[in-house]
């Protein structure tokens, strides 16, 4: 693990909220869907714009999911997931959490990951994959950390194997 990864893991412990969202056929309504930001701090000013708004977030999530499904450490978690649906769900979630106009309508993170047997190793691998995708998309390190810090509180609902 690199020094850069270690620095980013501290604020990023909840990036696993992204780990294998059940996008196979998730159909909750906006009225019944729990907020993805429950327990998450308000978006830092300008983060949505710094991520390239919806178009930039879409490119990032496309790259991220493509890398996830191929990653030998965690790709198996995605074998039942429809990549296009996962990309769309993650785009909406990150867009909303970063202060954008999108509306995430998926399941809450605890329910979505309850039966997935996610441990810290899976979680850390996902963080590394996200960092690689952010680097590839040219997102500056400071903005990466702002996003990871925003997602950090969600980790308690994601890691199911302690």
């Amino acid at each position: 693990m690199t020094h850069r990864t270690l620095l980013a893991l501290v604020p990023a412990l909840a990036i696993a909220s992204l780990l294998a969202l059940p996008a196979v056929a998730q159909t909750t309504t906006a009225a019944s869907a729990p907020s993805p930001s429950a327990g998450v701090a308000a978006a830092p000013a300008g983060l949505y714009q710094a991520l390239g708004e919806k178009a930039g977030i879409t490119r990032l999530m496309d790259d991220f999911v493509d890398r996830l499904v191929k990653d030998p450490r965690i790709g198996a978690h995605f074998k039942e997931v429809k990549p296009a649906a996962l990309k769309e769900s993650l785009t909406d979630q990150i867009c909303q959490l970063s202060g954008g106009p999108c509306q995430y309508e998926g399941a809450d993170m605890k329910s979505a990951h309850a039966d997935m047997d996610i441990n810290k190793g899976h979680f850390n691998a996902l963080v590394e994959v996200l960092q690689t995708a952010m680097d590839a998309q040219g997102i500056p390190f400071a903005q990466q950390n702002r996003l990871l810090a925003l997602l950090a509180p969600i980790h308690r609902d994601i890691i199911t194997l302690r």
Side-chain angles (χ1 to χ4, degrees):
M1 192 174 298
T2 66
H3 180 262
R4 179 189 151 113
T5 300
L6 289 173
L7 286 175
L9 284 177
V10 173
L13 287 178
I15 197 61
S17 68
L18 303 177
L19 198 98
L21 287 172
V24 280
Q26 204 165 281
T27 58
T28 58
T29 65
S32 67
S35 168
S37 58
V40 178
L47 180 58
Y48 175 69
Q49 292 76 16
L51 294 173
E53 299 184 342
K54 184 151 185 193
I57 294 168
T58 298
R59 283 189 304 275
L60 173 60
M61 292 301 105
D62 286 350
D63 186 358
F64 176 58
V65 171
D66 289 347
R67 292 171 190 274
L68 281 178
V69 300
K70 295 174 187 171
D71 190 279
R73 301 167 295 175
I74 56 176
H77 279 92
F78 302 94
K79 66 183 174 194
E80 301 296 323
V81 173
K82 295 177 182 173
L86 180 58
K87 290 173 182 182
E88 183 178 343
S89 180
L90 292 175
T91 296
D92 287 344
Q93 186 178 30
I94 299 304
C95 176
Q96 180 178 337
L97 290 172
S98 67
C102 305
Q103 181 65 41
Y104 172 74
E105 296 180 357
D108 68 274
M109 296 300 97
K110 189 170 190 110
S111 298
H113 300 88
D115 297 323
M116 298 186 72
D117 296 332
I118 299 168
N119 64 36
K120 280 187 174 183
H122 300 130
F123 175 87
N124 292 342
L126 185 126
V127 171
E128 291 176 20
V129 172
L130 180 60
Q131 286 179 288
T132 300
M134 288 192 289
D135 284 342
Q137 294 301 311
I139 297 172
F141 187 66
Q143 302 310 323
Q144 292 182 29
N145 279 339
R146 290 174 74 199
L147 176 59
L148 295 173
L150 180 64
L151 295 168
I154 306 170
H155 84 281
R156 292 178 289 279
D157 292 337
I158 305 308
I159 297 175
T160 57
L161 297 177
R162 308 267 176 216

